[in-house]
Amino acid sequence: FPVTIGVGKSVFHGAGTDEPTGIAGTSGVGAVAGASIDWAKIVEFETDVQTANADVASMAYVTNPAVGGILKTRDKGTDTGLYLMNDGQANGYPVYITNQIASGYMFFGDFSQVIIGEWGALDLLVDPFTGIKSGALRIRVFKSMDVGVRQPGAFSVGTSIT
């Protein structure tokens, strides 16, 4: 996702109040209870999307560094020597790591189903008066955008992953 930090966070976790509604807050998105994530949970992410007839070859997982670490160190079974994530993939799908994903969350799906709409230019407001005594200059930046999930069933979200 070649987007700014605030936009990236909105795509995944936007609450819909003074910011777009992100994937996690979109009605119809699949859900996986992530506590003690194991191989069956990995398959559950994929099954959610396949059941909604939304599976495509270009799907991927996106999570944060802590969950990524769990995936890299948790064995698929009992002493198999194979982990939930090997060589940046889980069950053949790429796993992307970003700090824009909240603690304990992991997303799986077809990210071509997310639409980011922007209109107008980036609006900069320079305020030289608020910090005049200290010589500070305040700059406020406004961006007009929205996020839409074209097919909610194309995603499954895991929470509380440990």
Side-chain angles (χ1 to χ4, degrees):
F1 277 41
V3 293
T4 63
I5 291 173
V7 173
K9 191 158 188 139
S10 292
V11 166
F12 293 103
H13 296 288
T17 305
D18 294 329
E19 66 182 345
T21 299
I23 297 168
T26 299
S27 178
V29 169
V32 175
S36 299
I37 192 163
D38 58 10
W39 185 247
K41 298 278 187 189
I42 294 292
V43 173
E44 185 180 342
F45 277 98
E46 298 163 17
T47 303
D48 276 357
V49 173
Q50 291 165 347
T51 300
N53 293 317
D55 61 323
V56 294
S58 62
M59 295 185 296
Y61 289 92
V62 180
T63 191
N64 60 53
V67 173
I70 291 169
L71 298 176
K72 288 178 184 179
T73 58
R74 187 152 301 154
D75 201 295
K76 284 174 69 172
T78 305
D79 296 325
T80 65
L82 298 173
Y83 300 95
L84 298 179
M85 181 169 71
N86 291 289
D87 298 325
Q89 294 192 334
N91 202 20
Y93 294 102
V95 179
Y96 298 104
I97 308 293
T98 175
N99 286 317
Q100 300 314 302
I101 306 299
S103 177
Y105 275 77
M106 183 161 69
F107 294 78
F108 175 74
D110 174 10
F111 290 92
S112 72
Q113 297 300 311
V114 175
I115 299 167
I116 301 172
E118 299 179 84
W119 51 93
L122 191 63
D123 187 13
L124 299 174
L125 177 63
V126 179
D127 174 5
F129 304 107
T130 301
I132 195 165
K133 288 183 180 179
S134 64
L137 179 68
R138 177 181 285 177
I139 300 174
R140 294 182 186 226
V141 180
F142 300 94
K143 184 173 188 76
S144 296
M145 61 155 302
D146 203 355
V147 174
V149 178
R150 187 176 9 207
Q151 185 179 9
F155 296 96
S156 190
V157 179
T159 60
S160 305
I161 295 177
T162 57

